[in-house]
PDB file of all heavy atoms in Angstrom:
ATOM      1  N   LYS A   7     -19.313  73.684  12.129  1.00 49.00           N
ATOM      2  CA  LYS A   7     -18.146  73.098  11.470  1.00 49.00           C
ATOM      3  C   LYS A   7     -17.548  71.992  12.337  1.00 49.00           C
ATOM      4  O   LYS A   7     -17.200  70.920  11.863  1.00 49.00           O
ATOM      5  CB  LYS A   7     -17.127  74.193  11.186  1.00 49.00           C
ATOM      6  CG  LYS A   7     -15.904  73.677  10.433  1.00 49.00           C
ATOM      7  CD  LYS A   7     -14.945  74.815  10.140  1.00 49.00           C
ATOM      8  CE  LYS A   7     -13.729  74.320   9.391  1.00 49.00           C
ATOM      9  NZ  LYS A   7     -12.777  75.428   9.123  1.00 49.00           N
ATOM     10  N   THR A  10     -19.814  69.015  12.303  1.00 52.00           N
ATOM     11  CA  THR A  10     -19.685  68.284  11.045  1.00 52.00           C
ATOM     12  C   THR A  10     -18.430  67.418  11.034  1.00 52.00           C
ATOM     13  O   THR A  10     -18.440  66.265  10.593  1.00 52.00           O
ATOM     14  CB  THR A  10     -19.644  69.269   9.862  1.00 52.00           C
ATOM     15  OG1 THR A  10     -20.819  70.080   9.898  1.00 52.00           O
ATOM     16  CG2 THR A  10     -19.574  68.515   8.545  1.00 52.00           C
ATOM     17  N   TYR A  43     -15.132  21.341   4.235  1.00 90.00           N
ATOM     18  CA  TYR A  43     -15.023  20.752   2.915  1.00 90.00           C
ATOM     19  C   TYR A  43     -13.629  20.200   2.603  1.00 90.00           C
ATOM     20  O   TYR A  43     -13.505  19.074   2.097  1.00 90.00           O
ATOM     21  CB  TYR A  43     -15.410  21.792   1.848  1.00 90.00           C
ATOM     22  CG  TYR A  43     -16.832  22.284   1.990  1.00 90.00           C
ATOM     23  CD1 TYR A  43     -17.115  23.537   2.521  1.00 90.00           C
ATOM     24  CD2 TYR A  43     -17.910  21.475   1.596  1.00 90.00           C
ATOM     25  CE1 TYR A  43     -18.423  23.980   2.665  1.00 90.00           C
ATOM     26  CE2 TYR A  43     -19.221  21.913   1.730  1.00 90.00           C
ATOM     27  CZ  TYR A  43     -19.468  23.166   2.267  1.00 90.00           C
ATOM     28  OH  TYR A  43     -20.767  23.589   2.416  1.00 90.00           O
ATOM     29  N   ILE A  55      -7.545   5.382  -0.605  1.00 91.00           N
ATOM     30  CA  ILE A  55      -6.310   4.955  -1.272  1.00 91.00           C
ATOM     31  C   ILE A  55      -5.367   4.281  -0.289  1.00 91.00           C
ATOM     32  O   ILE A  55      -4.759   3.238  -0.579  1.00 91.00           O
ATOM     33  CB  ILE A  55      -5.626   6.152  -1.952  1.00 91.00           C
ATOM     34  CG1 ILE A  55      -6.551   6.749  -3.026  1.00 91.00           C
ATOM     35  CG2 ILE A  55      -4.306   5.723  -2.583  1.00 91.00           C
ATOM     36  CD1 ILE A  55      -5.991   7.977  -3.712  1.00 91.00           C
ATOM     37  N   ALA A  63      -0.476  -4.525   1.188  1.00 84.00           N
ATOM     38  CA  ALA A  63       0.822  -4.742   1.826  1.00 84.00           C
ATOM     39  C   ALA A  63       0.720  -5.755   2.963  1.00 84.00           C
ATOM     40  O   ALA A  63       1.555  -6.661   3.091  1.00 84.00           O
ATOM     41  CB  ALA A  63       1.368  -3.414   2.348  1.00 84.00           C
ATOM     42  N   GLY A  77      14.840  -5.047   7.231  1.00 85.00           N
ATOM     43  CA  GLY A  77      14.051  -4.051   6.514  1.00 85.00           C
ATOM     44  C   GLY A  77      12.585  -4.422   6.445  1.00 85.00           C
ATOM     45  O   GLY A  77      11.700  -3.556   6.530  1.00 85.00           O
ATOM     46  N   ASN A  83       6.051  -2.842  10.448  1.00 92.00           N
ATOM     47  CA  ASN A  83       5.607  -1.968  11.534  1.00 92.00           C
ATOM     48  C   ASN A  83       5.105  -0.634  11.000  1.00 92.00           C
ATOM     49  O   ASN A  83       4.146  -0.058  11.538  1.00 92.00           O
ATOM     50  CB  ASN A  83       6.750  -1.734  12.520  1.00 92.00           C
ATOM     51  CG  ASN A  83       6.928  -2.875  13.498  1.00 92.00           C
ATOM     52  OD1 ASN A  83       6.291  -2.915  14.544  1.00 92.00           O
ATOM     53  ND2 ASN A  83       7.793  -3.815  13.161  1.00 92.00           N
ATOM     54  N   SER A  87       1.349   0.860  11.627  1.00 90.00           N
ATOM     55  CA  SER A  87       1.136   2.235  12.089  1.00 90.00           C
ATOM     56  C   SER A  87       0.192   2.980  11.159  1.00 90.00           C
ATOM     57  O   SER A  87      -0.729   3.673  11.613  1.00 90.00           O
ATOM     58  CB  SER A  87       2.483   2.959  12.183  1.00 90.00           C
ATOM     59  OG  SER A  87       2.308   4.316  12.518  1.00 90.00           O
ATOM     60  N   LEU A  92      -5.338   5.058   9.682  1.00 90.00           N
ATOM     61  CA  LEU A  92      -6.431   5.095   8.716  1.00 90.00           C
ATOM     62  C   LEU A  92      -7.774   4.774   9.369  1.00 90.00           C
ATOM     63  O   LEU A  92      -8.815   5.271   8.936  1.00 90.00           O
ATOM     64  CB  LEU A  92      -6.157   4.109   7.581  1.00 90.00           C
ATOM     65  CG  LEU A  92      -5.000   4.484   6.636  1.00 90.00           C
ATOM     66  CD1 LEU A  92      -4.665   3.314   5.718  1.00 90.00           C
ATOM     67  CD2 LEU A  92      -5.335   5.717   5.822  1.00 90.00           C
ATOM     68  N   PRO A  96     -12.409   7.805   9.313  1.00 92.00           N
ATOM     69  CA  PRO A  96     -13.862   7.918   9.157  1.00 92.00           C
ATOM     70  C   PRO A  96     -14.517   8.780  10.226  1.00 92.00           C
ATOM     71  O   PRO A  96     -15.452   9.545   9.920  1.00 92.00           O
ATOM     72  CB  PRO A  96     -14.333   6.456   9.247  1.00 92.00           C
ATOM     73  CG  PRO A  96     -13.171   5.662   8.768  1.00 92.00           C
ATOM     74  CD  PRO A  96     -11.963   6.396   9.267  1.00 92.00           C
ATOM     75  N   LEU A  97     -14.043   8.694  11.474  1.00 91.00           N
ATOM     76  CA  LEU A  97     -14.607   9.540  12.527  1.00 91.00           C
ATOM     77  C   LEU A  97     -14.320  11.013  12.258  1.00 91.00           C
ATOM     78  O   LEU A  97     -15.185  11.872  12.476  1.00 91.00           O
ATOM     79  CB  LEU A  97     -14.026   9.144  13.887  1.00 91.00           C
ATOM     80  CG  LEU A  97     -14.321   7.719  14.387  1.00 91.00           C
ATOM     81  CD1 LEU A  97     -13.720   7.519  15.770  1.00 91.00           C
ATOM     82  CD2 LEU A  97     -15.816   7.459  14.418  1.00 91.00           C
ATOM     83  N   THR A 103     -17.557  16.967   8.613  1.00 90.00           N
ATOM     84  CA  THR A 103     -18.681  17.196   7.700  1.00 90.00           C
ATOM     85  C   THR A 103     -19.904  17.723   8.445  1.00 90.00           C
ATOM     86  O   THR A 103     -20.592  18.635   7.972  1.00 90.00           O
ATOM     87  CB  THR A 103     -19.043  15.899   6.960  1.00 90.00           C
ATOM     88  OG1 THR A 103     -17.896  15.428   6.235  1.00 90.00           O
ATOM     89  CG2 THR A 103     -20.188  16.132   5.988  1.00 90.00           C
ATOM     90  N   GLY A 110     -17.905  11.087  21.920  1.00 84.00           N
ATOM     91  CA  GLY A 110     -17.476  11.043  23.308  1.00 84.00           C
ATOM     92  C   GLY A 110     -16.028  11.453  23.510  1.00 84.00           C
ATOM     93  O   GLY A 110     -15.223  11.493  22.563  1.00 84.00           O
ATOM     94  N   ASP A 111     -15.684  11.752  24.768  1.00 83.00           N
ATOM     95  CA  ASP A 111     -14.353  12.244  25.111  1.00 83.00           C
ATOM     96  C   ASP A 111     -13.285  11.158  24.940  1.00 83.00           C
ATOM     97  O   ASP A 111     -12.164  11.446  24.508  1.00 83.00           O
ATOM     98  CB  ASP A 111     -14.353  12.761  26.550  1.00 83.00           C
ATOM     99  CG  ASP A 111     -13.035  13.430  26.931  1.00 83.00           C
ATOM    100  OD1 ASP A 111     -12.680  14.441  26.292  1.00 83.00           O
ATOM    101  OD2 ASP A 111     -12.357  12.925  27.841  1.00 83.00           O
ATOM    102  N   MET A 141      23.184  -0.014   5.533  1.00 87.00           N
ATOM    103  CA  MET A 141      23.857  -1.238   5.981  1.00 87.00           C
ATOM    104  C   MET A 141      23.836  -2.296   4.890  1.00 87.00           C
ATOM    105  O   MET A 141      24.791  -3.076   4.747  1.00 87.00           O
ATOM    106  CB  MET A 141      23.176  -1.777   7.238  1.00 87.00           C
ATOM    107  CG  MET A 141      23.394  -0.915   8.466  1.00 87.00           C
ATOM    108  SD  MET A 141      25.131  -0.884   8.945  1.00 87.00           S
ATOM    109  CE  MET A 141      25.077   0.282  10.316  1.00 87.00           C
ATOM    110  N   ASP A 183     -14.644  19.612  23.760  1.00 72.00           N
ATOM    111  CA  ASP A 183     -15.082  20.895  24.292  1.00 72.00           C
ATOM    112  C   ASP A 183     -16.447  21.246  23.707  1.00 72.00           C
ATOM    113  O   ASP A 183     -16.876  20.665  22.704  1.00 72.00           O
ATOM    114  CB  ASP A 183     -14.048  21.970  23.946  1.00 72.00           C
ATOM    115  CG  ASP A 183     -14.186  23.211  24.801  1.00 72.00           C
ATOM    116  OD1 ASP A 183     -15.033  23.206  25.714  1.00 72.00           O
ATOM    117  OD2 ASP A 183     -13.454  24.187  24.550  1.00 72.00           O
ATOM    118  N   ASN A 186     -20.551  27.190  21.655  1.00 71.00           N
ATOM    119  CA  ASN A 186     -21.856  27.572  21.094  1.00 71.00           C
ATOM    120  C   ASN A 186     -22.813  26.375  21.032  1.00 71.00           C
ATOM    121  O   ASN A 186     -23.477  26.123  20.013  1.00 71.00           O
ATOM    122  CB  ASN A 186     -21.678  28.183  19.694  1.00 71.00           C
ATOM    123  CG  ASN A 186     -20.879  29.466  19.723  1.00 71.00           C
ATOM    124  OD1 ASN A 186     -20.936  30.224  20.690  1.00 71.00           O
ATOM    125  ND2 ASN A 186     -20.115  29.703  18.666  1.00 71.00           N
ATOM    126  N   LEU A 255      13.773   8.694  -1.738  1.00 75.00           N
ATOM    127  CA  LEU A 255      12.336   8.912  -1.615  1.00 75.00           C
ATOM    128  C   LEU A 255      11.931   9.175  -0.172  1.00 75.00           C
ATOM    129  O   LEU A 255      11.095  10.035   0.107  1.00 75.00           O
ATOM    130  CB  LEU A 255      11.579   7.699  -2.153  1.00 75.00           C
ATOM    131  CG  LEU A 255      11.516   7.547  -3.676  1.00 75.00           C
ATOM    132  CD1 LEU A 255      10.815   6.248  -4.051  1.00 75.00           C
ATOM    133  CD2 LEU A 255      10.810   8.728  -4.311  1.00 75.00           C
ATOM    134  N   LEU A 273       3.501  27.714  14.959  1.00 89.00           N
ATOM    135  CA  LEU A 273       3.021  29.081  14.751  1.00 89.00           C
ATOM    136  C   LEU A 273       1.589  29.235  15.263  1.00 89.00           C
ATOM    137  O   LEU A 273       1.242  30.264  15.865  1.00 89.00           O
ATOM    138  CB  LEU A 273       3.084  29.440  13.265  1.00 89.00           C
ATOM    139  CG  LEU A 273       4.444  29.865  12.711  1.00 89.00           C
ATOM    140  CD1 LEU A 273       4.349  30.097  11.207  1.00 89.00           C
ATOM    141  CD2 LEU A 273       4.944  31.129  13.410  1.00 89.00           C
ATOM    142  N   GLU A 280      -0.813  35.247  24.786  1.00 71.00           N
ATOM    143  CA  GLU A 280      -1.264  36.625  24.981  1.00 71.00           C
ATOM    144  C   GLU A 280      -0.169  37.641  24.686  1.00 71.00           C
ATOM    145  O   GLU A 280      -0.454  38.754  24.249  1.00 71.00           O
ATOM    146  CB  GLU A 280      -1.756  36.799  26.420  1.00 71.00           C
ATOM    147  CG  GLU A 280      -3.004  35.976  26.740  1.00 71.00           C
ATOM    148  CD  GLU A 280      -3.456  36.179  28.166  1.00 71.00           C
ATOM    149  OE1 GLU A 280      -2.761  36.914  28.896  1.00 71.00           O
ATOM    150  OE2 GLU A 280      -4.503  35.607  28.559  1.00 71.00           O
ATOM    151  N   ILE A 302      -1.595  17.102   4.292  1.00 91.00           N
ATOM    152  CA  ILE A 302      -0.330  16.920   3.582  1.00 91.00           C
ATOM    153  C   ILE A 302       0.625  16.073   4.418  1.00 91.00           C
ATOM    154  O   ILE A 302       1.310  15.183   3.903  1.00 91.00           O
ATOM    155  CB  ILE A 302       0.301  18.289   3.254  1.00 91.00           C
ATOM    156  CG1 ILE A 302      -0.584  19.064   2.283  1.00 91.00           C
ATOM    157  CG2 ILE A 302       1.696  18.117   2.665  1.00 91.00           C
ATOM    158  CD1 ILE A 302      -0.110  20.486   2.011  1.00 91.00           C
ATOM    159  N   ILE A 309       1.213   7.127   0.767  1.00 82.00           N
ATOM    160  CA  ILE A 309       2.373   6.944  -0.099  1.00 82.00           C
ATOM    161  C   ILE A 309       3.271   5.803   0.378  1.00 82.00           C
ATOM    162  O   ILE A 309       3.962   5.169  -0.412  1.00 82.00           O
ATOM    163  CB  ILE A 309       3.193   8.247  -0.184  1.00 82.00           C
ATOM    164  CG1 ILE A 309       2.302   9.392  -0.669  1.00 82.00           C
ATOM    165  CG2 ILE A 309       4.387   8.097  -1.106  1.00 82.00           C
ATOM    166  CD1 ILE A 309       1.739   9.190  -2.058  1.00 82.00           C
ATOM    167  N   ASN A 310       3.254   5.509   1.679  1.00 81.00           N
ATOM    168  CA  ASN A 310       4.161   4.505   2.235  1.00 81.00           C
ATOM    169  C   ASN A 310       4.119   3.149   1.542  1.00 81.00           C
ATOM    170  O   ASN A 310       5.155   2.471   1.458  1.00 81.00           O
ATOM    171  CB  ASN A 310       3.908   4.327   3.732  1.00 81.00           C
ATOM    172  CG  ASN A 310       4.540   5.435   4.559  1.00 81.00           C
ATOM    173  OD1 ASN A 310       5.451   6.117   4.113  1.00 81.00           O
ATOM    174  ND2 ASN A 310       4.038   5.627   5.766  1.00 81.00           N
ATOM    175  N   PHE A 321       9.732  -8.575  -2.801  1.00 68.00           N
ATOM    176  CA  PHE A 321       8.368  -8.479  -2.278  1.00 68.00           C
ATOM    177  C   PHE A 321       7.353  -8.350  -3.408  1.00 68.00           C
ATOM    178  O   PHE A 321       6.310  -9.010  -3.397  1.00 68.00           O
ATOM    179  CB  PHE A 321       8.270  -7.285  -1.330  1.00 68.00           C
ATOM    180  CG  PHE A 321       6.917  -7.112  -0.699  1.00 68.00           C
ATOM    181  CD1 PHE A 321       6.556  -7.854   0.403  1.00 68.00           C
ATOM    182  CD2 PHE A 321       6.004  -6.204  -1.218  1.00 68.00           C
ATOM    183  CE1 PHE A 321       5.300  -7.705   0.984  1.00 68.00           C
ATOM    184  CE2 PHE A 321       4.753  -6.056  -0.645  1.00 68.00           C
ATOM    185  CZ  PHE A 321       4.409  -6.802   0.462  1.00 68.00           C
ATOM    186  N   LEU A 326       2.808 -10.498  -6.500  1.00 75.00           N
ATOM    187  CA  LEU A 326       2.142 -10.699  -7.787  1.00 75.00           C
ATOM    188  C   LEU A 326       1.954 -12.181  -8.085  1.00 75.00           C
ATOM    189  O   LEU A 326       0.918 -12.593  -8.623  1.00 75.00           O
ATOM    190  CB  LEU A 326       2.956 -10.024  -8.897  1.00 75.00           C
ATOM    191  CG  LEU A 326       2.997  -8.490  -8.865  1.00 75.00           C
ATOM    192  CD1 LEU A 326       3.898  -7.960  -9.972  1.00 75.00           C
ATOM    193  CD2 LEU A 326       1.597  -7.904  -8.996  1.00 75.00           C
ATOM    194  N   SER A 335      -6.708 -20.182  -9.157  1.00 79.00           N
ATOM    195  CA  SER A 335      -7.507 -21.109  -8.351  1.00 79.00           C
ATOM    196  C   SER A 335      -8.986 -20.758  -8.423  1.00 79.00           C
ATOM    197  O   SER A 335      -9.844 -21.644  -8.603  1.00 79.00           O
ATOM    198  CB  SER A 335      -7.028 -21.081  -6.894  1.00 79.00           C
ATOM    199  OG  SER A 335      -5.684 -21.486  -6.800  1.00 79.00           O
ATOM    200  N   ASN A 341     -14.808 -22.388 -13.293  1.00 72.00           N
ATOM    201  CA  ASN A 341     -14.991 -23.161 -14.520  1.00 72.00           C
ATOM    202  C   ASN A 341     -15.526 -24.566 -14.234  1.00 72.00           C
ATOM    203  O   ASN A 341     -16.342 -25.111 -14.972  1.00 72.00           O
ATOM    204  CB  ASN A 341     -13.675 -23.260 -15.280  1.00 72.00           C
ATOM    205  CG  ASN A 341     -13.250 -21.912 -15.852  1.00 72.00           C
ATOM    206  OD1 ASN A 341     -14.096 -21.044 -16.100  1.00 72.00           O
ATOM    207  ND2 ASN A 341     -11.947 -21.720 -16.064  1.00 72.00           N
ATOM    208  N   ARG A 343     -17.418 -25.484 -11.731  1.00 68.00           N
ATOM    209  CA  ARG A 343     -18.816 -25.427 -11.317  1.00 68.00           C
ATOM    210  C   ARG A 343     -19.770 -25.158 -12.462  1.00 68.00           C
ATOM    211  O   ARG A 343     -20.925 -25.597 -12.459  1.00 68.00           O
ATOM    212  CB  ARG A 343     -18.997 -24.371 -10.239  1.00 68.00           C
ATOM    213  CG  ARG A 343     -18.403 -24.773  -8.883  1.00 68.00           C
ATOM    214  CD  ARG A 343     -18.757 -23.752  -7.823  1.00 68.00           C
ATOM    215  NE  ARG A 343     -18.273 -24.195  -6.508  1.00 68.00           N
ATOM    216  CZ  ARG A 343     -18.469 -23.508  -5.377  1.00 68.00           C
ATOM    217  NH1 ARG A 343     -19.155 -22.368  -5.433  1.00 68.00           N
ATOM    218  NH2 ARG A 343     -18.001 -23.953  -4.251  1.00 68.00           N
ATOM    219  N   ALA A 345     -19.008 -25.800 -15.709  1.00 57.00           N
ATOM    220  CA  ALA A 345     -18.702 -26.598 -16.908  1.00 57.00           C
ATOM    221  C   ALA A 345     -19.889 -27.490 -17.302  1.00 57.00           C
ATOM    222  O   ALA A 345     -20.618 -27.979 -16.448  1.00 57.00           O
ATOM    223  CB  ALA A 345     -17.482 -27.474 -16.629  1.00 57.00           C
TER     224      ALA A 345
END
Side-chain angles (χ1 to χ4, degrees):
K7 183 178 180 181
T10 303
Y43 299 104
I55 299 177
N83 279 273
S87 175
L92 291 170
L97 297 182
T103 302
D111 186 61
M141 290 295 176
D183 198 4
N186 297 328
L255 285 176
L273 279 176
E280 295 180 357
I302 295 174
I309 304 298
N310 281 340
F321 182 82
L326 292 177
S335 299
N341 291 335
R343 288 186 176 182

